[in-house]
Amino acid sequence: MAGELSLKAGVELGVVPTHIKFVGGLAPDDNGKLPRNDDGQLTVVAELAHLQSISAAPIQSAQVTAFPGVDGGDVDEMITGIRALGMEVHIIMMVGGADPMKPEDEDAVVDMLKAGLEVAKKYNISQVASTSAEEWMQPGATPKTGADFDAAVAQVVKAHIRACREADVDNSCIESWDLEFLRGGEFQTFTSLSKIWEVVKAANAELGRPFYKVMVDAAHCGDSVLTIEENQALIAQIAAADEMGMFHCSSKTTRGCLTTDDGWIGSLLASAAKTGKLKNVFVEIFHHEDPALEGLRNLDPGHGLDTTDGRSYSQTTVDGLEEVCHRLNNLTLRGHLQGA
């Protein structure tokens, strides 16, 4: 079915295959081995091939997780397998067990980030991303404000700049690094476009060039304290500074079917398109029963809703890809995006 719906926009359309779950899909086991299906194939590669076979829209890229300590052979098989499908590979680097805002955790954070950067260098990956401004889902954590916020920004910047320098990113294939903020409860401090932009601005000022970018995730924007209009204004400002990165089409709260987004994806995607800086668009859907996300379901029961309406998660994801492809084509038709 692949190719029945052509992408007329001059952007890259891809998928973040979180719908296969972290547990049993994306995350390594205690031995660093990635999950496989009954046929011995890596689950993530097999699913991307399946999506490609049932999608009318082209799937030009995949953004996959890069966990520290994953078996090198499995990483090689995953990346070469995705590329064999004709997809570009992007990685999102995972940081856990250490807080990037704490000076005492700096060494551990830098080591984890460097591990992801080395994967990107080894496989000639030009764009990396991470949710590495603070530690995920920390009970009892409170938002940092005032001088404490400024200190947190400075420490996060210090760790990320150090990771770049120690990994010799300047002399590598890596062209940009997107930083993602998360909703309140997942993060406590960097919970909006405006707050994560402070990190990106400071890091780029230190580097002297717009290497770091702000990832625009419609779901996290929708779950932040800012309105659609406030997010739209920020997107324009961030892009004007050449600090806007990739766009995630994902639904607020449910993180499920894109029909549950209440208008956030369409509004913010159009705003990003109008900046002239939009290059990468990813569809991202999460499985409502992923054991790894139990804490998120406890935070907000809306995350645990089954929004598939009787479909498989593969079909729900493909429906999202096709919808977004139509959106991008029509943004092009209306002159908001350059054509392919």
Side-chain angles (χ1 to χ4, degrees):
M1 184 178 288
E4 289 184 7
L5 174 61
S6 63
L7 177 64
K8 300 178 178 67
V11 300
E12 183 183 272
L13 176 60
V15 63
V16 187
T18 41
H19 64 283
I20 65 173
K21 303 181 185 178
F22 285 97
V23 175
L26 296 171
D29 63 18
D30 292 340
N31 297 314
K33 302 294 287 184
L34 293 175
R36 295 179 181 271
N37 63 17
D38 292 340
D39 295 327
Q41 296 176 295
L42 289 176
T43 303
V44 64
V45 177
E47 174 61 9
L48 289 170
H50 176 55
L51 293 182
Q52 194 175 61
S53 73
I54 65 173
S55 176
I59 307 174
Q60 299 171 322
S61 60
Q63 186 179 44
V64 291
T65 48
F67 289 91
V70 176
D71 179 83
D74 282 4
V75 172
D76 186 80
E77 185 178 343
M78 176 177 69
I79 293 175
T80 57
I82 294 171
R83 285 177 169 167
L85 296 172
M87 299 181 192
E88 292 290 329
V89 177
H90 303 266
I91 61 171
I92 184 159
M93 302 180 293
M94 310 303 286
V95 173
D99 189 343
M101 297 187 293
K102 293 181 179 178
E104 60 268 30
D105 287 354
E106 181 180 319
D107 288 347
V109 170
V110 169
D111 285 346
M112 285 184 277
L113 293 174
K114 281 167 57 182
L117 295 172
E118 291 299 335
V119 169
K121 287 167 58 180
K122 181 176 180 180
Y123 293 98
N124 198 34
I125 294 170
S126 61
Q127 293 175 292
V128 299
S130 62
T131 53
S132 52
E134 62 183 282
E135 195 171 3
W136 187 67
M137 296 288 289
Q138 289 304 294
T142 56
K144 296 184 184 299
T145 59
D148 289 338
F149 178 82
D150 294 340
V153 169
Q155 180 58 39
V156 172
V157 169
K158 182 183 177 185
H160 285 71
I161 294 292
R162 183 180 152 196
C164 274
R165 289 177 174 158
E166 292 185 11
D168 196 23
V169 165
D170 280 350
N171 297 306
S172 77
C173 58
I174 303 172
E175 299 173 359
S176 63
W177 182 343
D178 280 40
L179 294 181
E180 182 179 14
F181 75 93
L182 301 181
R183 61 175 295 176
E186 292 187 79
F187 279 2
Q188 300 299 328
T189 296
F190 297 105
T191 55
S192 68
L193 273 184
S194 58
K195 291 179 179 179
I196 198 66
W197 192 24
E198 293 302 316
V199 175
V200 168
K201 284 190 287 188
N204 286 336
E206 178 74 18
L207 280 181
R209 59 190 176 93
F211 171 74
Y212 290 97
K213 309 288 184 180
V214 174
M215 181 193 295
V216 181
D217 184 303
H220 299 316
C221 290
D223 283 319
S224 77
V225 298
L226 303 180
T227 65
I228 284 179
E229 293 77 14
E230 287 170 329
N231 277 286
Q232 289 175 314
L234 278 165
I235 287 169
Q237 295 167 34
I238 293 167
D242 199 19
E243 292 177 329
M244 185 183 78
M246 59 188 64
F247 190 99
H248 275 190
C249 294
S250 195
S251 295
K252 72 184 186 73
T253 308
T254 68
R255 309 308 304 276
C257 179
L258 300 195
T259 61
T260 66
D261 82 320
D262 298 335
W264 282 85
I265 292 172
S267 298
L268 300 192
L269 183 60
S271 294
K274 292 172 185 178
T275 68
K277 300 291 181 67
L278 183 64
K279 296 180 180 178
N280 307 91
V281 177
F282 293 92
V283 169
E284 182 181 42
I285 290 175
F286 288 81
H287 197 295
H288 72 287
E289 293 179 328
D290 188 345
L293 301 178
E294 181 180 358
L296 192 49
R297 292 191 292 276
N298 293 336
L299 174 69
D300 190 330
H303 190 80
L305 297 175
D306 180 356
T307 63
T308 61
D309 203 21
R311 295 164 293 173
S312 68
Y313 264 95
S314 297
Q315 187 61 54
T316 305
T317 301
V318 162
D319 288 348
L321 283 159
E322 293 172 358
E323 175 192 326
V324 170
C325 186
H326 284 298
R327 286 186 181 277
L328 293 171
N329 286 347
N330 284 314
L331 285 165
T332 304
L333 176 69
R334 290 183 286 155
H336 301 316
L337 282 174
Q338 291 293 319

